[in-house]
Amino acid sequence: MTEKRFAFIGAGALGFHLTVAFKKSGQQVVQIISRSTREGQALANEVDAIYSKCPEDIIDSVTHIILTLPDQAINEVLPRLPKRNSVVIHTSGSFPMSYLGMNSTNFGVLYPLQTFSKDFVPTWEEIPFFLEASSKEVESDLLELVGELGASGILLNSERRKKLHLAAVFASNFTNYMQGKAQKLISEIGLSDDLIRPLVVETIRKAYELGAEGAQTGPARRGDHDTIKKHLDLLSCCANDKNLYRIISNSISDEYE
């Protein structure tokens, strides 16, 4: 069996953590490619690999190319990759796998359902990876790689993965944005946002123990129009936040009408 040699393209939060995890699991990470010299060289130093700036400079001996890039950047990089028989893998939740076929007959997807920040080390055992592959051979390859990280692998095609990614945006990105709004409001009255932490923890716990629909509370859920009006008045100084509050409250009211 051919020895696996990995090149990672992208040195952002996901690229950093996944590359380091592959190295720690015993894989040969031989090359880091990033348009950011600072981040790319730092990651290459971390895993004792060669740093390159351009996708065209993929080392001939590389057997697996892993793209840890935003969708738009994947579109820009794919035409620049040398056409050879390396396994080309992307890590996107919404980018179709079929586009990878322009570079190789062997390709697939490793989509980790988690949010990544460079300052927080992920616990891979708790992260599901959603996989798709161009063949049974590549599928087995991807399942083996995920298993060596200690994570679980779940097969999912591009259409279903796209909807999963949408769900993740609601569950994570939008939720985080709302936390930012709450933290700002709390700071305006001179209190620590730690005071709201128990509420947030209980909200998430109930959403998964009772189901989010059954756990919903608040003025919009109970049709408390007087309270909603008071809140809207408080937001009069910020049209965007006022509009956001109104849209969400109306959506909740319609849902539970």
Side-chain angles (χ1 to χ4, degrees), residues 199-200 202-204 206-207 210-224 227-228 231 245 248-249 251-253 255-256:
L199 172 63
V200 174
E202 181 67 2
T203 299
I204 298 299
K206 284 169 60 179
L210 303 179
E213 185 176 350
Q216 184 68 53
T217 60
R221 169 66 177 88
R222 59 181 178 265
D224 185 351
T227 297
I228 290 172
H231 289 169
Y245 183 101
I248 294 173
S249 293
S251 183
I252 292 172
S253 294
E255 185 81 20
Y256 292 90

Side-chain angles (χ1 to χ4, degrees), residues 31-225:
Q31 189 174 22
I32 305 297
I33 296 174
S34 173
R35 63 185 179 185
S36 168
T37 302
R38 181 179 61 82
E39 290 186 337
Q41 188 64 68
L43 181 53
N45 293 342
E46 180 79 21
V47 296
D48 193 25
I50 295 169
Y51 165 70
S52 302
K53 195 176 184 70
C54 301
E56 293 88 345
D57 295 333
I58 289 277
I59 298 170
D60 289 341
S61 62
V62 162
T63 61
H64 292 67
I65 302 168
I66 300 185
L67 309 172
T68 58
L69 299 167
D71 290 8
Q72 182 177 338
I74 297 175
N75 267 324
E76 294 168 0
V77 164
L78 283 178
R80 300 173 59 190
L81 288 177
K83 290 178 172 56
R84 58 173 70 140
N85 220 28
S86 302
V87 181
V88 181
I89 301 163
H90 78 61
T91 54
S92 166
S94 57
F95 194 85
M97 180 187 72
S98 59
Y99 286 25
L100 301 176
M102 71 171 69
N103 296 95
S104 175
T105 55
N106 298 308
F107 48 91
V109 178
L110 281 176
Y111 169 51
L113 188 63
Q114 187 52 279
T115 176
F116 293 90
S117 301
K118 281 197 174 176
D119 294 336
F120 290 89
V121 179
T123 303
W124 296 105
E125 294 81 359
E126 298 175 358
I127 299 175
F129 278 77
F130 291 86
L131 316 179
E132 190 177 10
S134 60
S135 67
K136 285 292 183 183
E137 184 180 1
V138 175
E139 181 182 296
S140 297
D141 194 15
L142 297 181
L143 286 168
E144 182 182 333
L145 290 173
V146 169
E148 288 172 357
L149 293 179
S152 58
I154 301 168
L155 300 177
L156 198 71
N157 66 28
S158 290
E159 281 305 307
R160 294 174 69 201
R161 188 178 71 255
K162 202 186 313 182
K163 199 157 192 177
L164 173 67
H165 187 247
L166 173 61
V169 168
F170 272 97
S172 177
N173 305 137
F174 289 175
T175 299
N176 184 73
Y177 185 73
M178 292 300 183
Q179 292 305 311
K181 294 295 182 186
Q183 289 169 4
K184 182 182 177 184
L185 287 166
I186 289 171
S187 70
E188 287 174 358
I189 56 173
L191 296 177
S192 168
D193 56 31
D194 282 342
L195 293 170
I196 207 169
R197 186 190 299 264
L199 172 63
V200 174
V201 171
E202 181 67 2
T203 299
I204 298 299
R205 184 188 70 80
K206 284 169 60 179
Y208 285 90
E209 289 194 8
L210 303 179
E213 185 176 350
Q216 184 68 53
T217 60
R221 169 66 177 88
R222 59 181 178 265
D224 185 351
H225 300 294

